[in-house]
């Protein structure tokens, strides 16, 4: 009998199975804004940053809105799929339990959220990065009470972490005169303020067990349809793009410094600015036909700040870089994700789960 019990314990150790029931699977914890939100804002009833109406989600699953600010997948969805990681549900999903967290992780991303607490305040409800980290601390307490302190520590240190915010800190804060940050700082000092705050937040996450973490950089924000339509010429806004480049350089330097300072950390910076800029500048080279206006728009009324049931959809969603005024299409997200996968050589963590196929994108001339 002792032999059989010992054998079971050895097998449990080899396969990472905890006898009390924790398998300590490798999962993701995602912190971000609308580019990574998978439904949190859907449950923030007062939030003005919503993707809860058609035609959001039209090329994802059953085609109904699911909280993603796109027609399909996010960049984090696609990278996670390719690494064999489960897709983490939204923190506010009513079906979230300790067992679901242990199997899938959690996504705390919130449309309108930023690195700074003051960012996106006119959306009324959204989770800033500090708030998302606070929610993560609550998640840790739940898991500790479920599997014990030691197993919880292994679980959180073995997980993968994504931090993808920053664009709202510019577009829905610094570049809008209604926010005090717009007249308190200049371009250089505002980026310094952002990077200083982000550095403290990443140290906080490390203190909470985040060992393998990736920070996504910003794309050419000045080329999103909203920024173009607000310019007199319809061209990309050069100053906004220069701010993104400045932020990316400073973020990359920060991550390099933290990698040296923080014990046992594998922190990386994912910069896809150049490839996204090339896609926007040379869409035909990548199989796109349009890179300056949204697929989902309200006729000739621009900017249409969100996609609604009365909106008109482009004939072929796979040919548009942008889904709405702010957000890339599923096809563009796939291209961005693949660039990051190629750049960093991401390895699969679970060879038993093949990546999810990309959604079939059907023509939508009827809408």
């Amino acid at each position: 009998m002792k032999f059989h019990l010992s054998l079971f314990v050895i097998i449990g150790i080899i396969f990472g199975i905890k006898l009390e029931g924790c398998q300590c699977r490798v999962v993701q914890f995602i912190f971000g804004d609308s580019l990574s939100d998978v439904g949190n804002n859907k449950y923030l009833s007062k939030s003005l940053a919503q993707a809860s109406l058609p035609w959001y989600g039209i090329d994802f699953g059953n085609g109904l809105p699911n909280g993603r600010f796109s027609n399909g997948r996010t960049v984090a969805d696609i990278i996670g799929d390719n690494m064999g990681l489960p897709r983490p549900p939204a923190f506010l999903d009513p079906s979230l339990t300790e067992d679901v967290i242990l199997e899938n992780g959690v996504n705390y991303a919130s449309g309108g959220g930023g690195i700074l607490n003051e960012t996106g305040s006119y959306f009324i409800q959204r989770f800033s990065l500090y708030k998302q980290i606070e929610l993560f601390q609550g998640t840790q307490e739940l898991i500790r009470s479920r599997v014990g302190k030691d197993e919880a520590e292994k679980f959180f240190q073995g997980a993968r972490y994504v931090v993808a915010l920053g664009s709202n800190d510019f577009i829905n804060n610094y570049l809008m005169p209604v926010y005090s940050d717009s007249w308190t700082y200049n371009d250089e000092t505002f980026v310094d303020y952002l990077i200083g705050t982000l550095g403290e937040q990443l140290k906080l996450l490390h203190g909470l067990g985040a060992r393998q973490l990736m920070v996504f950089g910003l794309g050419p924000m000045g080329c999103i349809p909203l920024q173009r339509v607000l310019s007199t010429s319809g061209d990309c806004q050069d100053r906004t793009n220069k701010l993104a480049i400045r932020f990316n350089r400073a973020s990359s330097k920060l991550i390099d410094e933290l990698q040296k300072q923080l014990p046992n950390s594998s922190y990386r910076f994912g910069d896809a600015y150049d490839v996204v800029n090339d896609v926007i500048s040379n869409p035909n080279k990548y199989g796109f036909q349009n890179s300056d206006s949204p697929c989902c728009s309200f006729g000739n009324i621009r900017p249409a700040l969100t996609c609604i049931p009365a909106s008109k959809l482009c004939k072929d969603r796979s040919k548009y870089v942008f889904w709405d005024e702010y957000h890339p299409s599923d096809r563009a997200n796939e291209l961005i994700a693949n660039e990051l996968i190629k750049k960093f050589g991401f390895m699969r963590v679970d060879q038993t789960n093949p990546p999810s196929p990309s959604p079939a994108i059907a023509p939508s001339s009827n809408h």
Side-chain angles (χ1 to χ4, degrees):
M1 181 65 190
K2 284 185 178 178
F3 171 76
H4 289 300
L5 183 59
S6 301
L7 184 62
F8 182 60
V9 171
I10 292 167
I11 290 169
I13 292 168
I14 291 170
F15 289 98
I17 299 169
K18 184 174 183 292
L19 300 185
E20 288 84 356
C22 173
Q23 294 186 8
C24 291
R25 185 177 183 183
V26 177
V27 300
Q28 293 182 91
F29 293 97
I30 295 175
F31 303 84
D33 52 26
S34 58
L35 294 172
S36 307
D37 192 345
V38 296
N40 281 311
N41 279 30
K42 189 168 67 167
Y43 300 105
L44 294 175
S45 59
K46 294 177 184 173
S47 178
L48 298 180
Q50 290 288 350
S52 54
L53 294 172
W55 304 102
Y56 288 103
I58 189 170
D59 296 308
F60 187 102
N62 61 10
L64 297 175
N66 57 68
R68 287 169 175 79
F69 288 75
S70 181
N71 60 310
R73 301 160 297 169
T74 68
V75 169
D77 281 333
I78 298 161
I79 291 177
D81 289 349
N82 275 270
M83 291 177 69
L85 292 164
R87 288 181 182 171
F91 171 78
L92 291 178
D93 188 320
S95 65
L96 192 73
T97 63
E98 291 94 328
D99 287 341
V100 170
I101 294 166
L102 288 165
E103 280 292 310
N104 301 285
V106 183
N107 184 320
Y108 303 91
S110 171
I115 293 166
L116 305 175
N117 287 338
E118 60 265 33
T119 289
S121 59
Y122 70 83
F123 291 125
I124 304 175
Q125 281 186 306
R126 77 277 175 235
F127 294 151
S128 68
L129 181 50
Y130 270 125
K131 180 62 179 178
Q132 293 178 37
I133 295 171
E134 182 188 315
L135 297 174
F136 176 57
Q137 288 175 300
T139 298
Q140 291 200 315
E141 289 172 20
L142 275 178
I143 298 305
R144 275 194 293 270
S145 66
R146 175 74 166 76
V147 302
K149 185 180 175 184
D150 292 344
E151 285 298 323
E153 187 174 324
K154 286 181 204 168
F155 172 68
F156 288 110
Q157 289 191 4
R160 305 295 188 267
Y161 295 80
V162 172
V163 175
L165 300 95
S167 58
N168 284 315
D169 294 291
F170 293 100
I171 292 169
N172 291 307
N173 182 355
Y174 178 62
L175 293 171
M176 295 187 73
V178 294
Y179 288 94
S180 62
D181 285 348
S182 68
W183 66 79
T184 307
Y185 300 95
N186 60 37
D187 290 3
E188 183 177 351
T189 58
F190 183 71
V191 171
D192 289 345
Y193 172 37
L194 262 187
I195 296 299
T197 306
L198 179 62
E200 291 306 310
Q201 291 162 332
L202 295 177
K203 288 176 189 173
L204 193 53
L205 281 171
H206 182 269
L208 294 169
R211 296 294 178 265
Q212 300 193 57
L213 181 146
M214 175 169 225
V215 175
F216 286 176
L218 302 182
M221 306 178 298
C223 295
I224 66 171
L226 176 73
Q227 289 283 299
R228 282 183 186 260
V229 80
L230 294 178
S231 71
T232 52
S233 63
D235 294 330
C236 296
Q237 299 222 25
D238 189 53
R239 180 193 173 200
T240 309
N241 283 345
K242 283 179 177 171
L243 284 167
I245 292 168
R246 186 189 287 267
F247 174 86
N248 286 349
R249 284 176 182 159
S251 294
S252 181
K253 185 181 175 189
L254 169 69
I255 301 306
D256 286 345
E257 290 169 355
L258 291 178
Q259 171 82 10
K260 293 168 189 168
Q261 291 172 20
L262 302 176
N264 304 315
S265 64
S266 174
Y267 281 23
R268 296 195 279 184
F269 180 67
D271 187 357
Y273 183 98
D274 289 341
V275 70
V276 177
N277 196 49
D278 195 38
V279 169
I280 290 168
S281 304
N282 305 288
N284 294 338
K285 176 176 159 186
Y286 296 88
F288 293 101
Q289 292 174 354
N290 185 301
S291 62
D292 60 12
S293 55
C295 171
C296 184
S297 62
F298 200 66
N300 293 322
I301 301 172
R302 298 279 309 282
L305 297 181
T306 188
C307 185
I308 57 174
S311 300
K312 301 285 185 190
L313 297 191
C314 58
K315 288 185 178 179
D316 186 346
R317 297 185 283 278
S318 70
K319 301 297 184 186
Y320 274 64
V321 173
F322 291 99
W323 165 246
D324 62 13
E325 298 281 4
Y326 293 91
H327 306 102
S329 64
D330 177 272
R331 170 100 195 292
N333 280 337
E334 185 173 50
L335 194 146
I336 296 164
N338 287 339
E339 176 67 15
L340 292 172
I341 291 164
K342 185 171 66 176
K343 188 177 283 188
F344 290 100
F346 288 124
M347 300 295 291
R348 289 182 61 77
V349 297
D350 178 1
Q351 295 294 338
T352 62
N353 294 333
S356 301
S358 60
I361 300 180
S364 55
S365 54
N366 296 331
H367 300 302

